[in-house]
Amino acid sequence: MRRESDVPGAPGSRSSDTTQTFGHDSDLSFVPFGSELTTTEIEAISALPSHAALLLVRSGPTAGARYLLDTDVTTVGRHPEADIFFDDVTVSRRHAEITRVGDTFEIIDQRSLNGTYLNGERADRGVLTNGAEVRIGKFRLNFFSSPADQAQAQAADG
């Protein structure tokens, strides 16, 4: 089946500006992340300063990549100027934002076509907790907060 936008030269035939949708719900299955962190990843998480966090790409075209979250707003998308740039058609140009207030991080979907998933559930917005899984297009990531912030939160609760 060809859409008009698939025909070369037709109005709106800019395929680089479209987002491909997932074909099956099985593509969105949630399989909890285990504890198979590498020594390097564990060291990177341990070295996080207070009010910072780390996103680890667990699967997808850039598996193994790490992204430091140390600003109040981090943009995620297929737009080349996104703070976290995922060059894949399953990711919208302006897919999501990660905001930080104090030591709390929240992910906010930016009306993306394929949605943003937090721990296997589609979420317009949600608080990121230590070890949480985020899915953006084909990319599966895990969020890790600063151990200093975790210790502080445990002390406040205790």
Side-chain angles (χ1 to χ4, degrees):
M1 179 173 120
R2 287 185 96 167
R3 296 178 306 225
E4 182 180 67
S5 62
D6 293 335
V7 179
S13 64
R14 298 180 335 188
S15 62
S16 63
D17 284 347
T18 59
T19 302
Q20 183 180 16
T21 57
F22 287 108
H24 304 287
D25 288 338
S26 63
D27 292 337
L28 304 174
S29 62
F30 174 63
V31 178
F33 154 74
S35 59
E36 63 274 353
L37 291 172
T38 67
T39 303
T40 305
E41 291 169 337
I42 292 168
E43 289 170 358
I45 294 164
S46 298
L48 285 171
S50 185
H51 305 300
L54 194 65
L55 275 178
L56 301 177
V57 181
R58 309 306 290 167
S59 66
T62 60
R66 294 179 294 198
Y67 297 97
L68 178 64
L69 304 174
D70 62 351
T71 59
D72 290 338
V73 177
T74 303
T75 59
V76 182
R78 192 166 33 94
H79 193 281
E81 293 178 9
D83 298 316
I84 299 176
F85 173 62
F86 288 145
D87 190 15
D88 189 85
V89 296
T90 61
V91 177
S92 294
R93 291 175 64 74
R94 289 173 177 79
H95 199 101
E97 283 184 353
I98 299 170
T99 60
R100 175 185 69 179
V101 176
D103 59 1
T104 300
F105 289 83
E106 186 175 34
I107 190 154
I108 305 163
D109 185 77
Q110 299 296 299
R111 298 187 307 237
S112 64
L113 183 61
N114 286 319
T116 299
Y117 290 76
L118 180 56
N119 294 326
E121 299 288 326
R122 190 167 181 153
D124 289 332
R125 73 185 310 146
V127 174
L128 296 170
T129 57
N130 198 52
E133 181 183 280
V134 175
R135 187 169 197 152
I136 294 175
K138 290 181 181 177
F139 299 84
R140 290 176 74 170
L141 309 103
N142 281 108
F143 171 87
F144 294 96
S145 57
S146 166
D149 295 336
Q150 292 174 45
Q152 192 174 36
Q154 289 174 348
D157 290 344

